[in-house]
Amino acid sequence: MSDRPSNPNRAPPPNSPPPTHTGPINISCNIMKEVLSSAAEAELAGLFHNCKEACPMRIAAEEMEHPQPPTPIVTDNSTAVGIANDDVKQKRSSL
């Protein structure tokens, strides 16, 4: 049986136990074909490829009637996080 809530859009009661943090984890290790000009750009490209791979898994889970919360994406590059969240503007070099 699943321990998912009957209505995932409603907050659980305050006295309910915390949810278990079990679920699928996808880690992809590939060599990128693209030539990138900075570490932040390379990190963003990696995030894009990982998100692209996660979409079919989310769709499959939803089609099997397992509603999905927003997918957490983790990176350790603060510049890439800033660019992805539109907090930082990427400076383009002039040629």
Side-chain angles (χ1 to χ4, degrees):
M1 290 287 171
S2 173
D3 64 347
R4 67 184 171 101
S6 58
N7 184 353
N9 296 322
R10 190 175 60 214
N15 59 351
S16 67
T20 58
H21 295 289
T22 59
I25 296 176
N26 179 38
I27 299 174
S28 176
C29 298
N30 295 318
I31 296 175
M32 288 187 269
K33 299 175 197 170
E34 301 83 15
V35 176
L36 303 165
S37 62
S38 69
E41 200 171 278
E43 190 79 22
L44 280 171
L47 290 171
F48 170 77
H49 287 292
N50 287 337
C51 292
K52 201 165 89 170
E53 285 189 9
C55 284
M57 290 185 275
R58 286 183 50 85
I59 292 169
E62 288 174 354
E63 287 177 350
M64 292 186 287
E65 298 182 6
H66 291 280
Q68 300 297 300
T71 302
I73 304 295
V74 179
T75 182
D76 60 351
N77 187 310
S78 60
T79 304
V81 170
I83 294 170
N85 292 331
D86 281 334
D87 296 333
V88 174
K89 296 292 181 197
Q90 189 174 13
K91 185 177 180 182
R92 297 287 179 183
S93 61
S94 58
L95 297 175

